[in-house]
Amino acid sequence: MKMDNSLLEDVNTQINREFYAAYLYFAMATYFAEINMEGFAKLTKNHAKEELEHAKKLYDYLILRDEKVSLSRIEAPDTNWTNPIDAINAALDHEKFVTENIHRIYKNSKEKCDCALEVFMQWFVAEQVEEEHLFQSMLDKMNYVQECSCEIVNIDRELRIQNEYVE
Ligand code: FEO
């Protein structure tokens, strides 16, 4: 079954958003590396790779449906973070934005009676719960200890250990 044009456009736009997310997290990894927060740098670099996987998943799906993949220009991320909390806050904001768009595609697929796309998008709906939780829980911890920068260094050490073997 051919996809409705507006749904096809939605999925192609989401491919661009996932590539943008990868670009954003690579930029964050650079920021954290520059301020010698190795754990946060590893986490965000690993997360950038996950975003590439999300883009690939959507890309492969359009190929499977015999639909046209349209790759568009990827915007440069805004990288004026003033401290680690600011950067992780930006990550959470971005994930909330992605969640809204994933939900919109899911609802549109329901309205247009594209059952296959509806089922496919369920994976992304569930994934976004994890993505928001990852950055929300980190931000909560960072806000909790924000008066004490040595505790942020401890969080960084934990992240470095947790992300050491993820490549
Ligand atoms: Fe692919 Fe973090 O959303």
Side-chain angles (χ1 to χ4, degrees), residues 133-148:
H133 174 72
L134 172 70
F135 291 111
Q136 181 69 66
S137 60
M138 195 175 300
L139 191 61
D140 288 347
K141 282 185 200 124
M142 292 167 86
N143 278 327
Y144 186 64
V145 300
Q146 67 177 331
E147 298 302 322
C148 179

PDB file of all heavy atoms in Angstrom, residues 133-148:
ATOM      1  N   HIS A 133      13.613  10.102  29.747  1.00  0.00           N
ATOM      2  CA  HIS A 133      13.993   9.690  31.111  1.00  0.00           C
ATOM      3  C   HIS A 133      15.502   9.830  31.321  1.00  0.00           C
ATOM      4  O   HIS A 133      15.958  10.289  32.373  1.00  0.00           O
ATOM      5  CB  HIS A 133      13.541   8.261  31.382  1.00  0.00           C
ATOM      6  CG  HIS A 133      14.031   7.746  32.703  1.00  0.00           C
ATOM      7  ND1 HIS A 133      13.523   8.183  33.908  1.00  0.00           N
ATOM      8  CD2 HIS A 133      15.028   6.870  33.006  1.00  0.00           C
ATOM      9  CE1 HIS A 133      14.166   7.592  34.892  1.00  0.00           C
ATOM     10  NE2 HIS A 133      15.085   6.796  34.377  1.00  0.00           N
ATOM     11  N   LEU A 134      16.275   9.423  30.320  1.00  0.00           N
ATOM     12  CA  LEU A 134      17.742   9.494  30.423  1.00  0.00           C
ATOM     13  C   LEU A 134      18.190  10.910  30.798  1.00  0.00           C
ATOM     14  O   LEU A 134      18.947  11.109  31.754  1.00  0.00           O
ATOM     15  CB  LEU A 134      18.372   9.069  29.082  1.00  0.00           C
ATOM     16  CG  LEU A 134      19.882   9.258  28.963  1.00  0.00           C
ATOM     17  CD1 LEU A 134      20.620   8.261  29.859  1.00  0.00           C
ATOM     18  CD2 LEU A 134      20.341   9.092  27.515  1.00  0.00           C
ATOM     19  N   PHE A 135      17.710  11.892  30.035  1.00  0.00           N
ATOM     20  CA  PHE A 135      18.190  13.263  30.267  1.00  0.00           C
ATOM     21  C   PHE A 135      17.487  13.941  31.445  1.00  0.00           C
ATOM     22  O   PHE A 135      18.084  14.751  32.136  1.00  0.00           O
ATOM     23  CB  PHE A 135      18.070  14.082  28.971  1.00  0.00           C
ATOM     24  CG  PHE A 135      19.043  13.608  27.927  1.00  0.00           C
ATOM     25  CD1 PHE A 135      18.607  12.968  26.777  1.00  0.00           C
ATOM     26  CD2 PHE A 135      20.407  13.776  28.108  1.00  0.00           C
ATOM     27  CE1 PHE A 135      19.512  12.498  25.827  1.00  0.00           C
ATOM     28  CE2 PHE A 135      21.322  13.315  27.167  1.00  0.00           C
ATOM     29  CZ  PHE A 135      20.871  12.675  26.024  1.00  0.00           C
ATOM     30  N   GLN A 136      16.208  13.571  31.678  1.00  0.00           N
ATOM     31  CA  GLN A 136      15.499  14.159  32.830  1.00  0.00           C
ATOM     32  C   GLN A 136      16.156  13.705  34.145  1.00  0.00           C
ATOM     33  O   GLN A 136      16.391  14.530  35.045  1.00  0.00           O
ATOM     34  CB  GLN A 136      14.018  13.746  32.816  1.00  0.00           C
ATOM     35  CG  GLN A 136      13.201  14.332  33.962  1.00  0.00           C
ATOM     36  CD  GLN A 136      13.020  15.831  33.847  1.00  0.00           C
ATOM     37  OE1 GLN A 136      12.372  16.303  32.934  1.00  0.00           O
ATOM     38  NE2 GLN A 136      13.608  16.572  34.764  1.00  0.00           N
ATOM     39  N   SER A 137      16.471  12.410  34.243  1.00  0.00           N
ATOM     40  CA  SER A 137      17.055  11.910  35.495  1.00  0.00           C
ATOM     41  C   SER A 137      18.453  12.498  35.715  1.00  0.00           C
ATOM     42  O   SER A 137      18.838  12.821  36.840  1.00  0.00           O
ATOM     43  CB  SER A 137      17.085  10.381  35.513  1.00  0.00           C
ATOM     44  OG  SER A 137      17.847   9.905  34.441  1.00  0.00           O
ATOM     45  N   MET A 138      19.191  12.659  34.619  1.00  0.00           N
ATOM     46  CA  MET A 138      20.521  13.254  34.738  1.00  0.00           C
ATOM     47  C   MET A 138      20.423  14.719  35.177  1.00  0.00           C
ATOM     48  O   MET A 138      21.156  15.177  36.054  1.00  0.00           O
ATOM     49  CB  MET A 138      21.208  13.167  33.371  1.00  0.00           C
ATOM     50  CG  MET A 138      22.693  13.420  33.416  1.00  0.00           C
ATOM     51  SD  MET A 138      23.377  13.160  31.796  1.00  0.00           S
ATOM     52  CE  MET A 138      22.952  11.449  31.541  1.00  0.00           C
ATOM     53  N   LEU A 139      19.484  15.419  34.567  1.00  0.00           N
ATOM     54  CA  LEU A 139      19.298  16.840  34.897  1.00  0.00           C
ATOM     55  C   LEU A 139      18.862  17.000  36.358  1.00  0.00           C
ATOM     56  O   LEU A 139      19.337  17.898  37.060  1.00  0.00           O
ATOM     57  CB  LEU A 139      18.245  17.443  33.959  1.00  0.00           C
ATOM     58  CG  LEU A 139      18.125  18.957  33.984  1.00  0.00           C
ATOM     59  CD1 LEU A 139      19.420  19.638  33.571  1.00  0.00           C
ATOM     60  CD2 LEU A 139      16.983  19.399  33.070  1.00  0.00           C
ATOM     61  N   ASP A 140      17.984  16.119  36.816  1.00  0.00           N
ATOM     62  CA  ASP A 140      17.536  16.172  38.220  1.00  0.00           C
ATOM     63  C   ASP A 140      18.726  16.040  39.163  1.00  0.00           C
ATOM     64  O   ASP A 140      18.872  16.794  40.117  1.00  0.00           O
ATOM     65  CB  ASP A 140      16.519  15.054  38.514  1.00  0.00           C
ATOM     66  CG  ASP A 140      15.167  15.325  37.861  1.00  0.00           C
ATOM     67  OD1 ASP A 140      14.945  16.461  37.395  1.00  0.00           O
ATOM     68  OD2 ASP A 140      14.340  14.393  37.811  1.00  0.00           O
ATOM     69  N   LYS A 141      19.600  15.050  38.857  1.00  0.00           N
ATOM     70  CA  LYS A 141      20.794  14.854  39.709  1.00  0.00           C
ATOM     71  C   LYS A 141      21.684  16.091  39.664  1.00  0.00           C
ATOM     72  O   LYS A 141      22.198  16.538  40.691  1.00  0.00           O
ATOM     73  CB  LYS A 141      21.606  13.647  39.217  1.00  0.00           C
ATOM     74  CG  LYS A 141      21.025  12.319  39.610  1.00  0.00           C
ATOM     75  CD  LYS A 141      21.965  11.178  39.198  1.00  0.00           C
ATOM     76  CE  LYS A 141      21.196   9.880  39.130  1.00  0.00           C
ATOM     77  NZ  LYS A 141      21.250   9.191  37.885  1.00  0.00           N
ATOM     78  N   MET A 142      21.875  16.632  38.468  1.00  0.00           N
ATOM     79  CA  MET A 142      22.771  17.797  38.327  1.00  0.00           C
ATOM     80  C   MET A 142      22.195  19.014  39.041  1.00  0.00           C
ATOM     81  O   MET A 142      22.930  19.768  39.679  1.00  0.00           O
ATOM     82  CB  MET A 142      23.002  18.093  36.838  1.00  0.00           C
ATOM     83  CG  MET A 142      23.803  17.007  36.155  1.00  0.00           C
ATOM     84  SD  MET A 142      23.746  17.179  34.368  1.00  0.00           S
ATOM     85  CE  MET A 142      25.084  18.325  34.098  1.00  0.00           C
ATOM     86  N   ASN A 143      20.885  19.199  38.939  1.00  0.00           N
ATOM     87  CA  ASN A 143      20.264  20.342  39.625  1.00  0.00           C
ATOM     88  C   ASN A 143      20.376  20.183  41.141  1.00  0.00           C
ATOM     89  O   ASN A 143      20.574  21.141  41.863  1.00  0.00           O
ATOM     90  CB  ASN A 143      18.787  20.474  39.224  1.00  0.00           C
ATOM     91  CG  ASN A 143      18.636  21.195  37.895  1.00  0.00           C
ATOM     92  OD1 ASN A 143      19.427  22.088  37.569  1.00  0.00           O
ATOM     93  ND2 ASN A 143      17.643  20.814  37.125  1.00  0.00           N
ATOM     94  N   TYR A 144      20.286  18.938  41.575  1.00  0.00           N
ATOM     95  CA  TYR A 144      20.355  18.644  43.005  1.00  0.00           C
ATOM     96  C   TYR A 144      21.708  19.043  43.586  1.00  0.00           C
ATOM     97  O   TYR A 144      21.799  19.533  44.708  1.00  0.00           O
ATOM     98  CB  TYR A 144      20.095  17.147  43.209  1.00  0.00           C
ATOM     99  CG  TYR A 144      20.001  16.721  44.641  1.00  0.00           C
ATOM    100  CD1 TYR A 144      18.989  17.198  45.465  1.00  0.00           C
ATOM    101  CD2 TYR A 144      20.928  15.838  45.183  1.00  0.00           C
ATOM    102  CE1 TYR A 144      18.908  16.809  46.786  1.00  0.00           C
ATOM    103  CE2 TYR A 144      20.858  15.443  46.503  1.00  0.00           C
ATOM    104  CZ  TYR A 144      19.847  15.935  47.301  1.00  0.00           C
ATOM    105  OH  TYR A 144      19.768  15.558  48.615  1.00  0.00           O
ATOM    106  N   VAL A 145      22.767  18.825  42.804  1.00  0.00           N
ATOM    107  CA  VAL A 145      24.122  19.091  43.335  1.00  0.00           C
ATOM    108  C   VAL A 145      24.736  20.366  42.753  1.00  0.00           C
ATOM    109  O   VAL A 145      25.932  20.581  42.894  1.00  0.00           O
ATOM    110  CB  VAL A 145      25.060  17.897  43.044  1.00  0.00           C
ATOM    111  CG1 VAL A 145      24.537  16.629  43.680  1.00  0.00           C
ATOM    112  CG2 VAL A 145      25.287  17.706  41.553  1.00  0.00           C
ATOM    113  N   GLN A 146      23.932  21.216  42.112  1.00  0.00           N
ATOM    114  CA  GLN A 146      24.528  22.304  41.331  1.00  0.00           C
ATOM    115  C   GLN A 146      25.375  23.267  42.147  1.00  0.00           C
ATOM    116  O   GLN A 146      26.269  23.923  41.597  1.00  0.00           O
ATOM    117  CB  GLN A 146      23.472  23.060  40.548  1.00  0.00           C
ATOM    118  CG  GLN A 146      22.476  23.839  41.347  1.00  0.00           C
ATOM    119  CD  GLN A 146      21.533  24.598  40.427  1.00  0.00           C
ATOM    120  OE1 GLN A 146      21.905  24.969  39.325  1.00  0.00           O
ATOM    121  NE2 GLN A 146      20.322  24.817  40.890  1.00  0.00           N
ATOM    122  N   GLU A 147      25.130  23.348  43.444  1.00  0.00           N
ATOM    123  CA  GLU A 147      25.943  24.242  44.267  1.00  0.00           C
ATOM    124  C   GLU A 147      27.357  23.690  44.445  1.00  0.00           C
ATOM    125  O   GLU A 147      28.262  24.395  44.861  1.00  0.00           O
ATOM    126  CB  GLU A 147      25.302  24.419  45.656  1.00  0.00           C
ATOM    127  CG  GLU A 147      23.921  25.061  45.642  1.00  0.00           C
ATOM    128  CD  GLU A 147      23.925  26.431  44.983  1.00  0.00           C
ATOM    129  OE1 GLU A 147      24.904  27.161  45.192  1.00  0.00           O
ATOM    130  OE2 GLU A 147      22.976  26.749  44.263  1.00  0.00           O
ATOM    131  N   CYS A 148      27.508  22.392  44.148  1.00  0.00           N
ATOM    132  CA  CYS A 148      28.802  21.752  44.434  1.00  0.00           C
ATOM    133  C   CYS A 148      29.387  21.168  43.142  1.00  0.00           C
ATOM    134  O   CYS A 148      28.998  20.090  42.719  1.00  0.00           O
ATOM    135  CB  CYS A 148      28.590  20.657  45.478  1.00  0.00           C
ATOM    136  SG  CYS A 148      30.110  19.809  45.866  1.00  0.00           S
TER     137      CYS A 148
END
